[in-house]
Amino acid sequence: MEELTASLEKMRVESGNPTPEPFEKLINQLHELEDSTTVCEELVAGGILPLTVAAIQSSSLEAQAKGAELVAELAKVESCRLGCVTGGLVPILVEKMSSSNTKVALQACRALGNICYEHVFLPDGGRVSVMESGGASQLLSLLQRAANLPNTADDHQLRLVATGFLLNLLNSYDTVQDQSMEAELVDVLCEYLDKFAEDEDIPTHVLLSLTCMADTEVGRGLVVSRDITPQLVRVLRINESPEVTETCLELVTNLAETECVKTQVAQGGVCEAVVEVVRRHRNNPSSDLSPPIIKTATDLIVLILVGDESMGIVYSNGSGSVYQELLDWLTSDLEDLQIAGALAMGNFARSDAHCIQMVESGIAEKLLKVLSSHNSGEGDIRLQHALLSALRNLSIAKENKPVLVNQGALDVLLPMATAIETFPVVFKLLATLRMIIDGQTEAALKVGSSSEVVGRLVGWCGTTDHPGVQGESSRLLAWIIKNCGGDSSVITSLASAGCVAPLVLMLGSEHAVMVNEAALALVLVFGTVVTGNVVEKTKLPEVVTFVLKNPYLPPEIMSNVLSMMTALSANEPALESVKTDDMRAAVEELATHSNEQVKTLAVALKEKL
């Protein structure tokens, strides 16, 4: 401390004509300390800041540089930043950023960058002061100038410090971002990515700065309109630093949340570059960052494919290089790649044309083969979910349903119905089965004939833990009945297994399509099961009355509900058990309905009630 006090005293003596030596000595002394926090606080309290001002404003370039460097060292300590702001240092340092002397500009920039760093007692105070002093425009000019300087060590350091200062200035401070972006900052940052893409630190600063800008509405618009895709592709292709790669992937992911950017990056070759990144880190893992990089990269590919136009670009009629690579991921020994490959196939299968072409080329068979190794309760949940999502989409096209059945889809899927407990996976499984059996009598019979599967479906119809599973279970029961070709043994066994009660509840759904599906299924049940009280222990009277009184139900669906009750009327004990005054009143009102079919059915049913 005695040496520090001596250095401080010498600075005071020379304050009229500062020299760099005492500043340099004090800086070296600070560097020798393990923790300089207390010493820096005492120096600021002892009046060091006015002495640095004198040095920075002196005629000696060396003294200017050392004065600014000392401020940079002091501003590393959080509690010293406020004094730098209130002591009037910011406008002086901002002015020195325009110095033609690289060392002066570098240290002024470094000092300001540290002053702008986070401060619990000075939130955004340093940034505000920099902005009010014209710091954003000065920094922009410095960045433009530094971009064209030679590749000397000092010039490289200036670029590194300037981009670091920019990051601190932009971080979580909207006002700076808007003003900086109006000064065409995006163009300058693109120039840095073009020129210094292979560097390790500068691209990180630039990419993080662009991320900060993209987090504001104005900034995002500027970055998107500039289309920085070529720069991002360049960084991904030639920079092998895991940290830079990860930062670049995160920026692309951020931007790709915007729909038009998905198209930009798909057209600009980002997907191809990302696939190269995956290949590089899969074949030659470079660090602990390789697994998260692969995960981020694969998630990004899937995100890009969410866009309709971008998906079409990557698919390229089934011949795109990225599409072919994603197919290979399905059989990878890395789970993240398998999952991404399956999710990607699900995204490609969003049009009938794609679905048909993909099934013809054997994609469904590949998916089923992978799923067959994961169709037990021990299978990977994420992979199961992804594979089922893809199969469900592929099975929507009418032409694909018999192909999937012939490829043994049910042999893979039905065991899952009795083994899987995870509701999100169950939900996808039920939706997939429902799509596959549509119009496929043999498939519907196979599902409906499995007492174990039907038992699970009826059980899931009563779950309150996952409304989606509850709804899909009821719908699948309805579709089995609709597609089983009127097979009386299957319909009777379904009724005996308890499917009528959930179908009755489904009849009261707020979704018209589900009301219709339930009514049509119950028409078949009531027309087939004519012995005993088929509606015993159901809420049919209340539900039917509620539905018949619904003024918004389309006439064609109302007709199906009335037809369902007409079918039930053939079973006199069952009909007697559901008759109520409210139901009769609702039917009487429909007897004057404006739709002729509804009116005719209601008049006939009224006579039986």
Side-chain angles (χ1 to χ4, degrees), residues 310-321 323-324 348 354 357:
S310 53
M311 179 270 288
I313 293 168
V314 176
Y315 184 67
S316 189
N317 200 34
S319 62
S321 61
Y323 172 72
Q324 296 299 325
F348 287 126
H354 285 186
Q357 188 176 27

Side-chain angles (χ1 to χ4, degrees), residues 45 56 106 127 200 226 240 294 330 394 403 418 516 581:
I56 295 168
L106 187 154
R127 299 181 182 107
E200 185 162 345
R226 172 63 170 74
E240 297 190 2
I294 290 174
L330 287 174
L394 288 173
V403 180
T418 57
N516 197 47
D581 291 339

Side-chain angles (χ1 to χ4, degrees), residues 289-366:
L289 282 177
S290 285
I293 283 174
I294 290 174
K295 179 70 168 64
T296 303
T298 55
D299 287 348
L300 173 56
I301 291 280
V302 174
L303 174 62
I304 292 169
L305 296 177
V306 170
D308 289 335
E309 191 173 356
S310 53
M311 179 270 288
I313 293 168
V314 176
Y315 184 67
S316 189
N317 200 34
S319 62
S321 61
V322 173
Y323 172 72
Q324 296 299 325
E325 180 78 13
L326 295 176
L327 273 179
D328 291 340
W329 287 2
L330 287 174
T331 53
S332 170
D333 54 359
L334 286 181
E335 220 159 58
D336 281 337
L337 292 191
Q338 277 193 305
I339 292 166
L343 289 171
M345 293 306 115
N347 279 333
F348 287 126
R350 292 208 308 273
S351 75
D352 278 1
H354 285 186
C355 286
I356 294 166
Q357 188 176 27
M358 289 170 72
V359 169
E360 285 177 349
S361 63
I363 305 303
E365 210 162 8
K366 279 191 176 184

Side-chain angles (χ1 to χ4, degrees), residues 533 535 568-569 571-580 608-609:
N533 193 346
V535 292
L568 181 66
S569 68
N571 186 334
E572 193 169 332
L575 183 63
E576 285 299 321
S577 70
V578 299
K579 284 182 181 179
T580 66
K608 297 180 180 182
L609 293 174

